[in-house]
Amino acid sequence: MIRLAREDDIPAIAAIYERIHDREEAGRTTIGWIRGVYPTERTAREALAAGDLFVREAGGRILAAARINRVQVPEYVLAPWEHEAPAEQVMVLHTLCVDPPEAGKGIGKDFVAFYETYARSQGCPYLRMDTNEKNAAARAMYSKLGYGEAGIVPCDFNGIPGVRLVCLEKYLGE
């Protein structure tokens, strides 16, 4: 089940971030995140406070989390979007993360499907998201799910210097 996060979900979400950082530091994955910089427990707390943090829960365990809202990060103005979209009709997926032991089980794909359904229900047929150019696994998954890469924006992002931010989009139609 995917639902809005609660305060008591924060430790589990922060633990997922830490397990992802562990894997990256061990060279077992490449996301482009930096421990202590992004994402952190504060990242989850800010999303919770805004009311737009969602979790995938099964058997009482948090398996994945993401932030879903209409907030386009400032770097998006530099992307050559294929679809010119009114801001009020754009939904954005931020910081999608799946607990590493659950990777490869379709949880990320299911979360993106939820995001698309949620966006449509909110009157937002234009979908946007981003990932680090280094994150080949995310880029491959998003491509398979019909997201086009609008462009790559070199920037400092979420406190991480030298990011090449891949901006992705999908239009759900009217």
Side-chain angles (χ1 to χ4, degrees):
M1 161 178 60
I2 297 175
R3 60 168 173 78
L4 276 170
R6 301 182 303 250
E7 175 66 31
D8 62 339
D9 296 325
I10 296 296
I13 296 166
I16 291 171
Y17 297 161
E18 291 304 310
R19 284 190 285 278
I20 292 169
H21 290 310
D22 291 345
R23 288 181 58 80
E24 183 138 17
E25 290 167 2
R28 295 194 324 257
T29 192
T30 303
I31 306 291
W33 290 349
I34 298 175
R35 187 187 308 273
V37 177
Y38 183 85
T40 64
E41 181 175 326
R42 181 177 174 188
T43 306
R45 288 196 178 282
E46 288 172 355
L48 180 71
D52 53 22
L53 181 62
F54 292 83
V55 294
R56 164 78 186 272
E57 178 185 27
R61 288 186 51 238
I62 302 303
L63 306 180
R67 189 171 192 180
I68 301 172
N69 60 31
R70 287 186 167 103
V71 178
Q72 297 184 70
V73 297
E75 292 78 7
Y76 284 12
V77 300
L78 301 172
W81 300 105
E82 180 181 339
H83 302 284
E84 289 190 34
E88 68 276 5
Q89 292 183 19
V90 175
M91 191 67 69
V92 183
L93 178 69
H94 309 269
T95 322
L96 172 60
C97 61
V98 175
D99 200 358
E102 305 301 324
K105 298 179 182 177
I107 293 170
K109 178 182 170 186
D110 290 348
F111 218 115
V112 172
F114 170 84
Y115 160 59
E116 292 177 4
T117 300
Y118 178 77
R120 190 180 295 282
S121 77
Q122 300 297 306
C124 296
Y126 298 94
L127 306 178
R128 292 184 176 169
M129 63 177 74
D130 57 75
T131 192
N132 193 308
E133 182 182 45
K134 297 175 182 178
N135 193 341
R139 291 175 75 184
M141 179 183 79
Y142 295 140
S143 176
K144 287 179 188 172
L145 297 176
Y147 287 80
E149 293 190 3
I152 297 176
V153 177
C155 59
D156 291 347
F157 192 68
N158 290 321
I160 301 172
V163 172
R164 292 183 46 81
L165 191 69
V166 178
C167 297
L168 299 118
E169 68 181 324
K170 184 174 183 178
Y171 177 60
L172 296 176
E174 299 300 325

